[in-house]
Amino acid sequence: SAVISQKPSRDICQRGTSLTIQCQVDSQVTMMFWYRQQPGQSLTLIATANQGSEATYESGFVIDKFPISRPNLTFSTLTVSNMSPEDSSIYLCSVSPGQGKPQHFGDGTRLSIL
Amino acid sequence: DAKTTQPTSMDCAEGRAANLPCNHSTISGNEYVYWYRQIHSQGPQYIIHGLKNNETNEMASLIITEDRKSSTLILPHATLRDTAVYYCIVRVEFDNFNKFYFGSGTKLNVKP
């Protein structure tokens, strides 16, 4: 199964600043996904990141707020821009290893905005 | 994607079987039933999935009704470490472009 590493594991940031979260996979994967989990809530899909093309965002999420990079088949970044306290959440990366294989998740980045 | 309905929470005694139900009455013929769980402070963990036949692996069993409108995840001998939120998701089979949309899940409390 794919091993996913996210950095940082947690951070406390000031409002108005931006933070870039990294997601590294130990094998090449076509699709990577970014989720947000607000306190006490379920996971919400932010966007799908395909290598070599722009990310596809879900309703309610925009590129200016959550820019995503996917420079190669094992790495992606999610930036949370101009942060406010409402952005305090866990941000999770997941990968789809391929046809018929279960989707795997990282342990997330816990972000608190003061 | 078909929507799923799960109870908000359930309790189970340690060592007993935990039976977690899921309703998916609008499931399509090519949609699978997937189960994931999320233990506190961790990312979701894949448990099992199936189309129409019952499935079993080292973690759990999945029982799908004949009409496929509901299913039950069975943890045969629950331990305290099985305390988690369990998510039932219906989707076409895993592929490179598969998106998962999570519902609210069931919080399973395993008690000594």
Side-chain angles (χ1 to χ4, degrees), chain B residues 40-98:
Chain B
H40 185 61
S41 298
Q42 297 181 21
Q45 175 191 23
Y46 166 79
I47 301 172
I48 198 167
H49 75 289
L51 182 63
K52 54 183 179 181
N53 297 321
N54 298 337
E55 302 287 344
T56 297
N57 62 21
E58 65 279 3
M59 291 183 66
S61 295
L62 173 60
I63 308 298
I64 303 174
T65 58
E66 190 170 346
D67 64 7
R68 304 210 320 123
K69 293 184 177 182
S70 66
S71 60
T72 301
L73 178 75
I74 301 173
L75 308 178
H77 305 286
T79 70
L80 298 178
R81 287 176 293 182
D82 291 321
T83 293
V85 178
Y86 287 77
Y87 295 100
C88 169
I89 304 165
V90 294
R91 191 68 173 89
V92 297
E93 191 177 18
F94 289 116
D95 62 25
N96 286 336
F97 306 96
N98 201 355

Side-chain angles (χ1 to χ4, degrees), chain A:
Chain A
S1 61
V3 177
I4 302 169
S5 301
Q6 279 189 239
K7 291 182 179 180
S9 58
R10 61 179 65 240
D11 208 339
I12 301 173
C13 300
Q14 297 295 321
R15 67 177 67 201
T17 62
S18 299
L19 179 74
T20 296
I21 301 167
Q22 299 179 3
C23 179
Q24 179 75 53
V25 191
D26 67 344
S27 58
Q28 293 184 344
V29 294
T30 302
M31 302 300 284
M32 299 179 77
F33 306 90
W34 287 98
Y35 290 81
R36 180 177 73 182
Q37 188 169 29
Q38 295 176 300
Q41 302 297 312
S42 181
L43 285 78
T44 301
L45 181 64
I46 297 173
T48 302
N50 189 8
Q51 193 268 336
S53 63
E54 282 198 5
T56 303
Y57 290 83
E58 297 294 307
S59 176
F61 297 95
V62 295
I63 188 171
D64 289 346
K65 177 66 175 178
F66 298 102
I68 289 171
S69 77
R70 183 78 200 277
N72 57 51
L73 292 173
T74 63
F75 188 77
S76 178
T77 67
L78 169 75
T79 299
V80 186
S81 303
N82 188 24
M83 290 183 286
S84 66
E86 292 72 34
D87 294 320
S88 296
S89 297
I90 301 173
Y91 292 86
L92 298 106
C93 166
S94 76
V95 302
S96 186
Q99 186 73 29
K101 298 181 181 179
Q103 191 165 334
H104 292 283
F105 289 79
D107 282 337
T109 295
R110 283 152 186 78
L111 186 55
S112 297
I113 314 304
L114 302 179

